[in-house]
Amino acid sequence: MAAKEPKKAWQEIAASSQKRRDETIAAIDPPIPDVPSELPRNVTHIPRELLTTKEVEITESSPEEILEELRTGRWSAFNVTNAFLRRAGLAQKLCNCITELLPQRALERAKYLDRYFAEHKTPIGPLHGLPISVKEHLTMKGLDINAGFVGWVGRVGEEDSHILRLLWNAGAVFYVRTTQPQTLMHLETSSNLYGVTVNPFNRELTSGGSSGGEGALLGLRGSCLGIGTDIGGSIRSPAANNGVFGLKPTSYRLPVYGWSAAMLGEEQIIPCIGPMSTSLEGIKLFMKVLIDQRPWLTEPSLLPFEWRDSKDWLRREDGKRRLKVAVLWDDGIVKPHPPIIAALQAMVHGMKKSEDISVVNWKPYKHDLAWEIIASLYFCDGGDEEMAALESSGEPLRPLSEFILKENPHTRRRSIDEVWKLTVRREQYKAAYAKIWNDTGKDGDVVDVILCPVGPGAAPPLDCSRYWGYTSQWNLLDYPALVFPITKSNPDRDAKDLDYVPRNEQDRYNYDLYDPEKYRDAPISLQLVGRRYEDEKVIQALDFIMEETGWVFDSKMIDRPGI
Amino acid sequence: MAAKEPKKAWQEIAASSQKRRDETIAAIDPPIPDVPSELPRNVTHIPRELLTTKEVEITESSPEEILEELRTGRWSAFNVTNAFLRRAGLAQKLCNCITELLPQRALERAKYLDRYFAEHKTPIGPLHGLPISVKEHLTMKGLDINAGFVGWVGRVGEEDSHILRLLWNAGAVFYVRTTQPQTLMHLETSSNLYGVTVNPFNRELTSGGSSGGEGALLGLRGSCLGIGTDIGGSIRSPAANNGVFGLKPTSYRLPVYGWSAAMLGEEQIIPCIGPMSTSLEGIKLFMKVLIDQRPWLTEPSLLPFEWRDSKDWLRREDGKRRLKVAVLWDDGIVKPHPPIIAALQAMVHGMKKSEDISVVNWKPYKHDLAWEIIASLYFCDGGDEEMAALESSGEPLRPLSEFILKENPHTRRRSIDEVWKLTVRREQYKAAYAKIWNDTGKDGDVVDVILCPVGPGAAPPLDCSRYWGYTSQWNLLDYPALVFPITKSNPDRDAKDLDYVPRNEQDRYNYDLYDPEKYRDAPISLQLVGRRYEDEKVIQALDFIMEETGWVFDSKMIDRPGI
């Protein structure tokens, strides 16, 4: 009888995963420079000091700028790819945000594209030569798909995820896979496989999650366009924490076949894929390129509707463009920290100068009930599948796994009858919210979009992202939600309100977290939310606000002064 | 201590429901004539003998003809409504298809509309004065909503269903509620409350179900437009069995808020509402009028997309209209009876004469697996909720409740984990089917629609509708499916194939059912199926086939000779 191979300890598996990651980084040519052994809190300036001017120019360009250079043949796909490989490798040393680089397949792909361009004098598709970063969650052929569980290491993808195939068709280059947290159900990114992904603007803060590898990488400009996933804030929290754009689209618009996760088949709350980018154009491009390929023909759960960006969603019957924005200052449960309120105030102040933007207040409707419903529907098996995946290696629970699986009073095994009852409550809540939205039109125009925080503060200190309400609210309602950067935390400006009396335990927790100095340099972002399936309108609304207020988002935002 | 009121026997409750129904019929003026005590098998000619010429003219007009008369003021809403009230009352005596007439509220409404028209010289909306029949399933304010359970009698609607409010806004008149089977999960219509609804073309056959009250009423022209619901064939089986049109739309296009049923909150297989009508124009009108009112603003699970009938779905790139039809002759499990095959042959023969229609065969892909998946997902609580509703009154199970709840090997209580696994299998099956559809385009045009049977025969004898595969297949796939009448059974033409060797038990059951004489006069209908959300295309395809082949559907189809 053959002796059974002894089971490896989880630490051993993690060490070998990290070793494999480091080998992919070591393979980059020219080698990635070392970083100081004592890193400062804010490391965003470091890549500029260690990369070539050309590499900095490439990696700090927006997706649309890069594509323009590639389309005209001024830049080669090879050089662009190698620049991003180098900056991503560096980002790993600064923030621990990647699980592996893919130099061989990326550079081969880039060379192929360059040959194609040389031969045909035209790009292969709308994303010709654009490097795209990919959360490890999404299956890639021949590579590990562990979903953040040590016990799943060694599961290997049989074919690329549907979304990757479509981006590939359009000319993309995949060059890096990014970190994800244990269980994928944190608003941070920490796992026993790869440790903690930290925030490049302030390494004592979280990069957010669960797409926090993407977030930190984008924040450091080791990527200009990446793919995240979101069931409670997992695209938006890292986009916000790292000062980039992120869109959680309405459900069933983008293809999800071929991701790896526990609880596949769960449909009560729909998980979404969406883009994260250093520019709003990157977000638009991603959506359009995918939807133009009619992914519903292959993945029938998707809705067969075009990307409707040729329609002007803000044009009124009188021919003029107008926008009505409702501001949700506070969800009534947890009061946002001063820098968030200040950002909202600045936005409102700017918008009020425009004749064509009207601003009203949005009164939150039972956001605590919304959390109760969504939190009850997240783990209808009581977390058994997640726990089994954890137990398969014996790895311990990370603090935020403990928080969502064990401390969350709504996590328990449900009978199908209970699930049906919760589903009915979900629909009732959605109908009540829709009615409130409809009623805003009683005295004139109906509200177009809601402007609100992305969380009750900027990126929290590690293991402290315990309030999901500002993002999960829109998952429950299945509304599209777009995150965009505004400014950075500034201790000299954003004093703590020492007289504030917290409303409840969650509010106290959040209040106690705030200390202006701790949050220094953390990006401040906000969220624009639209009605279900008005993804295109939300994007146009942000463009319109920018036009009307004269604000500019610079893809080199690292040094962009606050408004 | 007050004595508790003794619980009524279920027979007593049923008797009082029937008494109430009969009282509403007795209230009609002029009184509804008696029918012969010995009814013939085919009773479709009787209304013509007992109603006035004007009443026959009105009730045998199509919805679009009636609306035209109302719109021009040639007919009054009052007269139209009263004609349908009388014919519906008569239909009850012939087929047992209604649960109550609503003379008071219908005639009041009609009078209001007539006054409105007199005053404004214009209709109140696109359905001004059109009587619409309503399956009892749909809540009406102040009326019983028992979902076919004796134990639920006495539950009273608090407000009208969403769909009824929208039809009302458009000018409709609700005048009758129609029967539904115990549990709503039969392809027939038999309950302990109201007994069995029979087929007006042949009273020994079923009207189909679960919208069988609608089916029989439409077949007898006691309605020209009615509302059915469908999770496995419940619109299409009664439409087919009674020779009228019926559309099961793709999910989440029409509003469903406010129906009464067990297992609310169940989403793995989406139940749909749809129209049944004596004309194809009736089907179109219903869809358009509802979707034009943007029901998604109130019911957020609905998809915010227009009724896209201004687009020409058959126009090709060269500017010509063309159609590619795939014929599913047989699902490989249960072979259809000879009249169904003959109808398909006649259709194909006609279509092949057109240069602009190409016809290919559709090879069914594992329709037995499809049934296994959908049947497993119908009652994930093992039927407990249905059984509790039955047991609350002590009523016995009807044979087809026994069939679907007890004999169905796939009915059992599932854990949420099992439901997720089944959901994944459902999605895999849908993807496999989509791939087959895509592959039809490899050598040219992709298939536009599938033409297939609605069931493995015409309306079966009572309690014999035990094969759902030809309809439930499209519920699983969530494809739109349109049923339309072709001809009637004719024993002199459709001989039994005495040499046929059945493939399996279900096939034998169906084979044994067939006896040409038993099925005399039963309508023969077929089904046109489209890809998900191509509801508009399916309708245009049927219109195109009719144009190209020169066939005409007459809303007075009762006497229409076969093709």
Side-chain angles (χ1 to χ4, degrees), chain A residues 64-82:
Chain A
E64 64 276 18
E65 289 163 347
I66 295 169
L67 284 168
E68 179 62 20
E69 298 300 312
L70 288 161
R71 194 179 294 130
T72 53
R74 284 192 292 266
W75 290 355
S76 71
F78 184 89
N79 287 345
V80 168
T81 300
N82 213 44

Side-chain angles (χ1 to χ4, degrees), chain A residues 489-524:
Chain A
S489 266
N490 179 349
D492 307 327
R493 186 187 56 196
D494 303 320
K496 184 159 180 156
D497 175 3
L498 297 172
D499 297 328
Y500 181 70
V501 181
R503 304 157 178 162
N504 55 51
E505 209 180 315
Q506 290 168 298
D507 195 32
R508 171 169 303 283
Y509 182 87
N510 187 61
Y511 175 73
D512 288 347
L513 277 184
Y514 190 60
D515 167 347
E517 187 48 48
K518 270 196 204 162
Y519 282 84
R520 180 178 287 276
D521 290 350
I524 304 298

Side-chain angles (χ1 to χ4, degrees), chain A residues 316 324 358 437-447:
Chain A
R316 305 294 154 128
K324 183 169 175 182
S358 61
W437 200 309
N438 294 338
D439 288 348
T440 63
K442 278 193 175 161
D443 307 319
D445 282 348
V446 82
V447 159

Side-chain angles (χ1 to χ4, degrees), chain A residues 12-31:
Chain A
E12 211 180 324
I13 298 171
S16 94
S17 292
Q18 291 168 26
K19 183 163 169 280
R20 195 179 44 81
R21 174 197 63 201
D22 293 343
E23 285 163 3
T24 68
I25 294 173
I28 301 301
D29 178 41

Side-chain angles (χ1 to χ4, degrees), chain B residues 448-468:
Chain B
D448 293 297
V449 287
I450 297 174
L451 175 69
C452 63
V454 193
L462 299 174
D463 292 328
C464 295
S465 300
R466 287 161 189 258
Y467 189 69
W468 295 28

